[in-house]
Amino acid sequence: FFQKTLNAVQSWFTLFGWSKGQNPISIPYSLRRDVCIVQLTVEQEKNFKRRVDKDKGFYEMLLHLNGQSIPGIAASQSLSTDPVERMFQLHWQHSELLSFLKRKGAYLPHIMPEFLLAPEDYELWSEVSTGLRRGSIRSSGKLSGRRIFVLENRTFETVSKRAWTDVLLQMYKVFVLPRVSSRMVPDPSSLESLQNMPGIKSEPLCSNVYSRYERTILIWLNKNYEKNRKIVWKDNERGGMPPMRWIVNFDQDLLDGLVLAAQMAGYCPYLIPTHFIKMYTNPRTHEQFLHNALILVKALHTINMDLDIKV
């Protein structure tokens, strides 16, 4: 499940995270590398032969999605040539990143700044934080009063991958989801067929699972499914018209592909006779679920919106 989540995050940020077109990312490797490359000294940058039009840094992506940079962190500031000072500089930078995201509404209490470091910098941080470089600790004063977690190399890579994935997910939550407007979704109660269904409230505090913007999307899913199920599958021979349903989550309620097909049909009705009419409307076996998924993927390919989706 985590690997599928990571793949989805990589695909979205590769395609839509940048201002000048696609830029492939690899979690956590390219993100850790970009943070360092963007802030190399002039001499180091010559050695790397970095091409500004090709290499794009993590903070350029953040600026594109958010519209503003993190106070105190410039996209081209240089790093110290001293390894310890460089490590502290990056640690401070990651601390500021996490604080900035939290102020925007991100939920990241489990992420420590050191988890975002590159392995060599984390190893140096571990040595310093456990007292092997006490002179640096006393002179910097940056590690006092904190509980220290030191991870083995293999464990660190796993934790770092998860940490960067969660950072990107929270960036999506606080920078992208708020673009969803309730004005784009008509009141579901305006549909006669939805009046007997329980409503989904969009007030900020009515759910501890989904944000207001996610609930707006759920309202949109319910509205389109109820409207289009009677159109898409009125002549279906693989189970008849699917029954009314209340869509309250983004995993179980979307598994059979029918809800997503109903959304697509609302905007691309020409896909109904060529694709969606062939779906099972009451799938029970793994083969039938796979059949529906394959039809969805083929439909996305047809309208050039496959987004590297694989079944």
Side-chain angles (χ1 to χ4, degrees):
F1 172 79
F2 172 67
Q3 187 60 46
K4 289 180 179 179
T5 302
L6 185 148
N7 292 340
V9 171
Q10 284 185 163
S11 294
W12 193 93
F13 279 88
T14 290
L15 293 168
F16 306 113
W18 312 88
S19 60
K20 298 180 181 179
Q22 301 179 17
N23 183 47
I25 67 168
S26 175
I27 301 172
Y29 312 109
S30 65
L31 299 178
R32 297 187 307 207
R33 183 191 67 233
D34 287 345
V35 166
C36 297
I37 289 179
V38 166
Q39 301 187 31
L40 292 173
T41 62
V42 174
E43 189 61 34
Q44 288 172 317
E45 194 161 336
K46 289 180 180 178
N47 294 335
F48 269 92
K49 297 180 180 179
R50 178 173 180 258
R51 294 173 59 187
V52 178
D53 61 328
K54 291 292 183 181
D55 293 331
K56 307 175 184 179
F58 171 80
Y59 288 99
E60 294 175 28
M61 179 175 69
L62 188 145
L63 176 62
H64 169 62
L65 294 175
N66 178 44
Q68 67 180 94
S69 57
I70 300 177
I73 299 180
S76 59
Q77 63 185 353
S78 61
L79 293 172
S80 172
T81 55
D82 178 75
V84 176
E85 286 301 317
R86 176 180 177 277
M87 178 272 293
F88 274 128
Q89 199 172 342
L90 288 170
H91 191 277
W92 169 82
Q93 180 175 293
H94 295 326
S95 298
E96 291 298 304
L97 167 65
L98 295 174
S99 297
F100 178 77
L101 293 176
K102 289 174 183 176
R103 289 195 298 271
K104 293 291 185 177
Y107 187 74
L108 294 165
H110 57 300
I111 306 298
M112 303 294 183
E114 53 268 25
F115 296 163
L116 304 179
L117 293 170
E120 56 272 17
D121 289 319
Y122 180 78
E123 185 176 352
L124 184 58
W125 178 88
S126 300
E127 293 178 4
V128 173
S129 63
T130 53
L132 297 180
R133 295 176 180 264
R134 295 186 184 278
S136 297
I137 295 177
R138 286 195 294 270
S139 63
S140 67
K142 296 178 182 178
L143 296 175
S144 59
R146 273 199 53 198
R147 186 176 179 183
I148 305 301
F149 296 91
V150 179
L151 307 174
E152 296 178 353
N153 291 344
R154 188 172 180 179
T155 304
F156 170 74
E157 281 295 347
T158 301
V159 171
S160 182
K161 182 181 292 188
R162 179 62 182 267
W164 276 107
T165 301
D166 287 350
V167 165
L168 291 181
L169 283 170
Q170 291 298 309
M171 284 175 56
Y172 184 88
K173 169 189 169 184
V174 299
F175 298 147
V176 180
L177 273 183
R179 300 174 191 173
V180 176
S181 171
S182 59
R183 289 177 297 179
M184 298 170 57
V185 183
D187 184 357
S189 62
S190 63
L191 291 174
E192 182 179 352
S193 57
L194 283 180
Q195 288 182 350
N196 296 326
M197 289 182 62
I200 296 177
K201 298 180 180 179
S202 59
E203 286 78 7
L205 300 180
C206 71
S207 172
N208 63 349
V209 177
Y210 292 130
S211 68
R212 167 176 66 179
Y213 314 107
E214 289 167 311
R215 294 195 299 278
T216 299
I217 295 174
L218 287 174
I219 292 173
W220 173 72
L221 290 174
N222 276 284
K223 175 242 180 188
N224 277 325
Y225 173 76
E226 181 55 29
K227 175 183 176 181
N228 294 325
R229 71 182 178 90
K230 302 174 182 178
I231 300 173
V232 178
W233 294 288
K234 63 179 180 179
D235 299 320
N236 178 267
E237 297 179 357
R238 295 180 181 267
M241 186 185 302
M244 176 186 289
R245 68 169 71 176
W246 189 29
I247 305 156
V248 296
N249 58 61
F250 295 100
D251 43 21
Q252 293 295 320
D253 290 342
L254 305 185
L255 276 180
D256 59 13
L258 297 175
V259 175
L260 294 177
Q263 314 310 308
M264 292 179 62
Y267 299 93
C268 305
Y270 54 85
L271 293 174
I272 296 174
T274 58
H275 293 76
F276 302 141
I277 194 64
K278 303 173 185 177
M279 298 177 74
Y280 288 97
T281 55
N282 188 26
R284 298 183 181 277
T285 67
H286 292 298
E287 291 77 13
Q288 291 175 344
F289 275 88
L290 177 61
H291 172 87
N292 284 1
L294 289 171
I295 288 179
L296 264 181
V297 172
K298 289 179 180 178
L300 288 168
H301 276 286
T302 299
I303 60 175
N304 296 317
M305 286 188 62
D306 56 288
L307 305 181
D308 196 32
I309 291 176
K310 297 180 178 64
V311 178

